[in-house]
Amino acid sequence: MTKTPLTVVAFFFLLLLLTVIPPSTAEIKSLAISNDARPMILFEKFGFTHTGHVTVSVSSVSVASSDPNPDPSRLGFFLLSEESLLQVLLEIQQNSRFCVLDSHYVTHLFTFRDLSPPPNSRFNQSYPVTSPNEYSLFFANCVPETKVSMAVRTEMYNKDPNGSKDYLPAGSTQLPSLYSFFFLSYVAFLTYWSYTCWTNKRVVHRIHLLMAGLLLIKSLNLICAAEDKHYVKITGTPHGWDILFYIFQFIRVVLLFTVIILIGTGWSFLKPFLQEKEKNVLIIVIPLQVLANIASIVIGETGPFIKDWVTWNQVFLLVDIICCCAIIFPIVWSIRSLRETSKTDGKAARNLSKLTLFRQFYIVVIGYLYFTRIVVFALKTIAAYKYQWVSFAAEEIVSLVFYVIMFYMFRPEEKNEYFAVDDDEEEAAALALRDDEFEL
């Protein structure tokens, strides 16, 4: 049985990752390839309509090979749709020496045979995409022991009916309006939360102010995302909005995990301090989120053409999983602590209310993490390329619902339904606490 070549595995893994990680923010890209011997380099993925165009410009091309006369027709650029991916993989698996440039399933752009004569070897050409689909742009190097250096500039866009260029993929062109809508939603949410805190200022705790800060940062993150996508849509580059987006995204993610952890510990509204193990969770999660955001920036601002892109994706996914698991522990500790306390302090009804609150919060957090990590991933994988915006909309809707539920459960209120109890409820609450309903 023929062994699967390593290039097949790497090729398939790159495309699989592209279905999970969103493409970089700019659809006009300039990059440099230096002494690269990889047999295939994946540049980017883009959803084209019937008015799509791709422009590839290469310059300063040099080839270093053990072969004194490498065949320039064995080095070139091509487009590959996901529908044709399996056919190409099968061809490579059947013949490990098969050159993907010979495949009938790829859309050929040009080879190094088309370059201008050295020393200023260059080529620049625009190609119409007549068959609407989602394509990946590749460079293939089918000459063994050959290293390639070149400067590459790519430009991908679809044309609107009025003739203007739309640099966002077909499935992402709705994102500026989508993010603007959710920005307005969070501004309204922040206004209502500020009013609630003002009218109940006698029972406002530090955690409530931190929650208000979270809403503010989330709003700024969304407006930066909307402006980022808007400028990419009309010009192909984010005009600096990507920097602001990454700054506010970093603050938002760190603040969100911090708020969930602090609420899970009961800090500020149940107790004024954190235990040592709760501090340790924060000490672990915050640096990991710094690392995760660095990985996110590298993934978003570069692309699969860099050699360590797959590694950065693995780092991002691993750190995200660790952080999602870590924020669950404080909630579990609080539930167990409340259950133990209820056996000795004689306040059964009040402890029952607290247990109900934290158990519900536990379920809400688990549901939020499951949907944003698993369901959204599934939507991105199975949705047609024209409807990729649906996964972004679903993620924002679930995030907004999570924020609303979390803020409602821990709102500042003098007679909070979870903590306001009558003496008559004590006996019933004591009986309820004897069973195992709140065991996790």
Side-chain angles (χ1 to χ4, degrees), residues 159-303:
K159 283 193 174 181
D160 291 331
N162 60 6
S164 60
K165 297 179 180 179
D166 184 348
Y167 289 95
L168 286 179
S172 302
T173 189
Q174 301 87 354
L175 290 183
S177 300
L178 180 71
Y179 288 138
S180 297
F181 170 78
F182 281 103
F183 162 71
L184 295 175
S185 300
Y186 277 96
V187 168
F189 190 0
L190 175 59
T191 302
Y192 179 77
W193 182 255
S194 301
Y195 171 77
T196 301
C197 291
W198 176 257
T199 55
N200 297 277
K201 51 187 175 183
R202 286 187 297 178
V203 290
V204 169
H205 299 283
R206 286 172 290 174
I207 189 65
H208 297 125
L209 301 179
L210 202 60
M211 293 161 77
L214 175 60
L215 288 180
L216 175 62
I217 296 300
K218 176 66 175 179
S219 302
L220 294 174
N221 186 213
L222 283 169
I223 192 60
C224 290
E227 290 297 317
D228 180 0
K229 295 300 181 183
H230 169 71
Y231 278 102
V232 170
K233 179 183 175 72
I234 62 176
T235 68
T237 55
H239 289 260
W241 283 100
D242 55 334
I243 298 175
L244 290 174
F245 168 77
Y246 286 121
I247 291 173
F248 287 119
Q249 176 178 263
F250 165 70
I251 299 173
R252 174 188 64 81
V253 174
V254 171
L255 200 54
L256 174 61
F257 277 82
T258 302
V259 165
I260 293 175
I261 291 172
L262 292 178
I263 289 178
T265 63
W267 175 78
S268 183
F269 62 93
L270 289 185
K271 59 185 180 183
F273 58 89
L274 294 177
Q275 297 177 359
E276 192 64 31
K277 61 182 180 180
E278 295 166 345
K279 292 179 182 178
N280 290 337
V281 173
L282 281 174
I283 292 173
I284 292 171
V285 168
I286 292 178
L288 284 177
Q289 280 302 311
V290 173
L291 178 60
N293 278 273
I294 292 174
S296 176
I297 293 171
V298 172
I299 293 167
E301 290 303 306
T302 57

Side-chain angles (χ1 to χ4, degrees), residues 313-388:
N313 274 279
Q314 294 171 336
V315 168
F316 176 80
L317 294 174
L318 176 62
V319 170
D320 191 54
I321 291 172
I322 294 174
C323 290
C324 289
C325 294
I327 63 175
I328 297 299
F329 286 105
I331 307 174
V332 175
W333 294 335
S334 293
I335 293 175
R336 291 177 176 174
S337 175
L338 285 169
R339 184 160 182 81
E340 291 298 321
T341 303
S342 67
K343 298 176 181 178
T344 58
D345 66 357
K347 299 178 180 179
R350 188 174 180 85
N351 286 321
L352 177 62
S353 299
K354 293 177 183 178
L355 277 169
T356 302
L357 175 66
F358 278 91
R359 183 170 180 269
Q360 290 174 349
F361 183 56
Y362 172 83
I363 295 171
V364 168
V365 171
I366 291 293
Y368 169 72
L369 295 177
Y370 174 79
F371 195 97
T372 54
R373 270 63 182 180
I374 306 299
V375 178
V376 170
F377 165 77
L379 285 174
K380 290 180 179 179
T381 304
I382 65 177
Y385 76 97
K386 290 184 179 180
Y387 302 102
Q388 286 296 311

